Amino acid sequence: MRWLMMMAALMPGLVDPVPAAEPASLLLKPAGVFDGVDGKVHPGWQVLVTGDRIVAVGPDLPTPAGTMPIDLPGTTVMPGMIEAHGHLFLHPYNETSWDDQVLHEPLALRTARAVANAKATLLAGFTSERDLGTEGAGFADVGLKAAIDQGIVPGPRLSVATRAIVALGAYGPKGFEPGVAIPQGAEEVSGVDQIVAAVRRQIAGGADWVKLYADYRWRPGEDCRATLSVEEIKAAVAAAHDAGRPVAVHAATAEGMRRAIAAGVDTIEHGYGGTPEIFAAMAAKRIALCSTLAASDATSRYRGWNGSEPAPPAVQTNRASFRMAMKTGVPICMGGDVGVFAHGQNAREMELMVAAGMTPADVLIGATWGNARWLHLSDKLGAVRPGLFADLVAVAGDPTNDIRAVRHVRMVMKGGSVSVRNS
């Protein structure tokens, strides 16, 4: 087993994860450690791992007999990154439109692709992900999560939201003969009783999070408007919280955000229409924002934008709301709506957050300890601290100086098991 672990640590290219030998320990020896909490890289620090846990962090650590060193020169070891807004059952819209993915791609094909997407996510250094809806793939995320947890396929630790919940008539696909039942990308509800039943149904099916859409387009080409009422959202939140499940809400309009805040949700996704007053209310209630800068960036590029300035209105609106939220003190999640763009390219959101004015250190905290807190995982992961899961990433260089360093992954460790890919 020790020989296999050494091969996993040193071979170039992808190596299948190998369980850490018990009770042998591993000593990671990078150039420095970013612990995810204080925003600094600590030169000369090491990390001692036994089994699936971090047992010690610091310089010149005493090590148990039989400890195997893993030398990582020129790298920074940091917590495994956490993707807070992904859709493993989607792939980029410039490959296949969202409508066609929902209507024409077989569930078996979508699941096979999701397995590949999960592997790409893990190899990119994202050891955990909140998957916010299968978009027409039913409860398949629950099965994918189980397959990962059982070691059948590689992937990040998943928190799943299954089908998501939308107001009757307010989602898609659309554009068909009126009255004809068309498969939808989420579960439709109308009224308090129906939304409570949907919440409970999805939790019974395996949902870790409940995902609601507070606003959307009633018809193609229309502007977004609030869809679920305050009473409906409050009832859904109460039912979810009673079951110990947090609630994420898609809200792109000021009114949708206002209703979500009044209902006491846990996170708001997108938040494009936020105002100073709305963001102040979010900050007061400690409701976190996933601004998904990479989603508007990607969809604008699919429509022909080449990245030059001035950016399209959708990109400018997204940047402005993100900056407003930061200025107001809203907790910021790192989540890019990956699936709109390619899985494994999750770092795209982090780079855009820096470009929009957040420091690299704060983005790194957001993607690790910050996301662990807002996603209710901080008792297990998100920091390089004794007692937490040994979910660790080694990246070339110092990501606090250049956020692009997180793209150069030298090592990924999840629960004490090591996978390696070329930088």
Side-chain angles (χ1 to χ4, degrees), residues 6 15 40 42 46 80 118 129 134 136 180 230 244 274 291 352 374 408:
M6 182 67 76
V15 178
K40 303 174 183 177
H42 297 273
Q46 302 169 341
E129 176 166 343
T134 61
V180 174
V230 174
S291 56
L352 291 171
W374 310 128
H408 303 294

Side-chain angles (χ1 to χ4, degrees), residues 93-94 293-315 319 340-341 348 351-352 355 407:
Y93 298 169
N94 63 334
L293 295 165
S296 59
D297 182 272
T299 55
S300 294
R301 290 176 187 272
Y302 300 157
R303 297 185 184 107
W305 179 47
N306 64 4
S308 63
E309 299 296 335
V315 173
R319 290 174 182 169
V340 175
F341 59 101
R348 184 171 181 172
E351 293 167 350
L352 291 171
R407 287 189 180 267

